[in-house]
Every structure is written in structure tokens, then in C-alpha cells.
Amino acid sequence: AAAVHAEDTIHDEVQSIRNGQHAQMPPAQRFTGGAAIAGRTTMTVQNSTAYVLTVLYDGPVSKKLTIAPGASRDVDLAPGAFHVAGRVTAPDVLPFYGEETYDGSARYSATFYIR
């Protein structure tokens, strides 16, 4: 039951950001040169902000990443359409929101920064 609750929480959090004031999420870039792992959809998220970044993926799988300033993390996703939201620990920075579709057997990267 805990897993279902966690996914509900991610979904609710993403919808809450979507329905509020938000900034456009940076689009994910697909790696064309790197070797993708067959059957896996991998995302590398780079936090180029000065704050702790939380990124939420709500789609075929639900994932929540917390990334330190200047760090990056890899996450395995699934092919399909996702609602993606991100927020930093600064109260004056709008959260990010976007909708993306990822292919199977592909690698992507996204860099979050504050304009």
C-alpha cells in the first residue's frame, strides 16, 4: 500500500505545480551519440541551480529525484508520456512544469537552471 501512496503523492504534487504558477521546464535532449541500453529509457538530470532540486516524473512510472546543487543523477524511466515537474528550495523561484514523451531504448538529459 505504501507504493501506491507514494505514486499518488507524486501525481498530486505534479498536478499541484501544473495548476499553479510555473515556469516552462527545460526540454530534455536526446543523446544521439551515446549507446542506449536496449529496452531502457534513461534520463540524466543536471541541477545547474544553487539550490536543492526536486524533480517529479508522473507517467507510466512515477519517480522522484532530489539533487544537490551542481550535481546530476540518472533515473530509469519507461517509454511513454510524462508530466514532469521540478522545484528548488528557494521560495522566490517558480516551480517548473512540462509534458514530454520518451522513447524506449533511449537516453535523455535535462539541465535545470534559473534564468
Side-chain angles (χ1 to χ4, degrees), residues 2-83:
V4 172
H5 178 71
E7 289 191 6
D8 285 350
T9 305
I10 289 173
H11 175 77
D12 292 345
E13 233 177 307
V14 169
Q15 291 305 315
S16 161
I17 289 173
R18 177 189 187 185
N19 294 332
Q21 262 199 305
H22 60 261
Q24 193 56 39
M25 201 192 78
Q29 306 297 318
R30 184 171 178 164
F31 282 114
T32 48
I37 301 162
R40 288 192 27 204
T41 303
T42 311
M43 172 69 70
T44 300
V45 182
Q46 172 72 40
N47 179 4
S48 293
T49 77
Y51 308 100
V52 172
L53 170 71
T54 300
V55 184
L56 304 146
Y57 291 92
D58 181 29
V61 294
S62 295
K63 301 275 179 152
K64 180 175 187 170
L65 298 179
T66 303
I67 308 167
S72 69
R73 285 198 46 200
D74 289 349
V75 60
D76 283 333
L77 298 171
F82 284 82
H83 296 270

Side-chain angles (χ1 to χ4, degrees), residues 84-106:
V84 187
R87 64 176 191 284
V88 296
T89 50
D92 56 337
V93 176
L94 282 175
F96 303 94
Y97 174 78
E99 293 173 21
E100 297 197 312
T101 300
Y102 306 123
D103 296 329
S105 304

